[in-house]
Amino acid sequence: SQQGEEDPQALSIQEGENATMNCSYKTSINNLQWYRQNSGRGLVHLILIRSNEREKHSGRLRVTLDTSKKSSSLLITASRAADTASYFCATVTDNNNDMRFGAGTRLTVKP
Amino acid sequence: GAGVSQSPSNKVTEKGKDVELRCDPISGHTALYWYRQRLGQGLEFLIYFQGNSAPDKSGLPSDRFSAERTGESVSTLTIQRTQQEDSAVYLCASSLAWDFYSSHEQYFGPGTRLTVT
């Protein structure tokens, strides 16, 4: 079953714009991870943020975590057509053997 | 209904031995994925099947790794001449299909914890 819920379900932007995707979850977590899925591939791990962290950066990616609101956001800056994919958040509980994925946000970046 | 099952749940093997991991996806799911998760890290995508075909095997970490799927059902991941760095949890997931415009929900199995000594 899913725990994370991403919104929006679909997002369409122009190349160069920023894309923000949100994830909300229900139970306490050890960490939260963001993944990307392109056509014909499985999930690709993007970034992991632990419950005691508030913000992390990786290249054009910025992830925030607000444990009081049980929510996270993924920001992709200066988007490119190659960023077109589905993006998923996954939560990991404290015992680290239970990973739950949301339904994903489908991002389309138009050239 | 029944979910994705994997066997064995735990496997301890000696370095240099071959291991075979099994995944039984949810009935009717045409897409099947194998991932590896090392301790404290995110999922590492290994290979994906659409039906019995694997369109892209480039995610497999070395030629010691191979996978097959038969009858659009069970899949096996084989690791030959295991090394200590192969120690990880190997996860299998299945989904109805993979299409950019349809549901992407993947149902994960419980994983096989492989320890190479």
Side-chain angles (χ1 to χ4, degrees):
Chain A
S1 64
Q2 296 177 337
Q3 165 160 240
E5 291 184 6
E6 289 96 335
D7 95 274
Q9 291 186 333
L11 179 62
S12 182
I13 60 175
Q14 293 294 136
E15 214 168 21
E17 294 179 341
N18 296 342
T20 300
M21 290 161 271
N22 303 297
C23 170
S24 60
Y25 57 93
K26 297 182 175 66
T27 65
S28 62
I29 61 171
N30 175 282
N31 65 77
L32 185 145
Q33 303 171 28
W34 283 92
Y35 289 79
R36 183 174 92 173
Q37 187 173 31
N38 290 92
S39 174
R41 297 279 303 187
L43 293 161
V44 174
H45 181 248
L46 295 177
I47 200 163
L48 182 154
I49 186 164
R50 303 195 183 280
S51 59
N52 61 352
E53 297 175 307
R54 292 296 165 258
E55 187 171 311
K56 282 189 86 166
H57 297 255
S58 177
R60 293 182 297 111
L61 305 180
R62 174 176 161 247
V63 168
T64 62
L65 179 65
D66 187 334
T67 52
S68 67
K69 295 180 180 177
K70 290 187 168 56
S71 68
S72 173
S73 67
L74 170 68
L75 169 67
I76 304 174
T77 60
S79 63
R80 304 167 182 167
D83 295 329
T84 295
S86 286
Y87 292 83
F88 297 85
C89 71
T91 55
V92 180
T93 56
D94 278 333
N95 61 12
N96 205 37
N97 64 6
D98 184 14
M99 176 182 283
R100 303 288 181 93
F101 282 80
T105 292
R106 289 188 291 279
L107 173 66
T108 303
V109 182
K110 300 174 186 174
Chain B
V4 178
S5 61
Q6 292 185 245
S7 61
S9 55
N10 277 287
K11 177 71 177 178
V12 180
T13 189
E14 292 179 353
K15 178 181 171 181
K17 294 276 177 69
D18 297 351
V19 295
E20 193 171 276
L21 312 179
R22 178 187 169 110
C23 172
D24 285 89
I26 293 172
S27 178
H29 280 193
T30 60
L32 185 148
Y33 307 82
W34 282 99
Y35 298 88
R36 178 169 73 176
Q37 186 172 31
R38 292 198 170 103
L39 188 65
Q41 298 184 19
L43 291 180
E44 176 187 0
F45 169 73
L46 298 179
I47 192 169
Y48 152 89
F49 287 91
Q50 182 63 30
N52 294 330
S53 300
D56 184 353
K57 298 182 181 179
S58 62
L60 295 174
S62 78
D63 58 8
R64 297 185 294 105
F65 287 71
S66 63
E68 65 174 20
R69 189 180 184 195
T70 56
E72 297 198 1
S73 179
V74 66
S75 176
T76 53
L77 176 69
T78 302
I79 309 173
Q80 295 177 310
R81 304 181 303 280
T82 52
Q83 304 293 313
Q84 287 185 332
E85 65 260 26
D86 299 334
S87 295
V89 175
Y90 289 82
L91 290 158
C92 172
S94 71
S95 66
L96 271 173
W98 198 94
D99 179 276
F100 187 74
Y101 298 103
S102 64
S103 173
H104 305 279
E105 183 170 7
Q106 295 186 25
Y107 295 81
F108 279 77
T112 293
R113 184 174 298 278
L114 175 66
T115 304
V116 181
T117 60

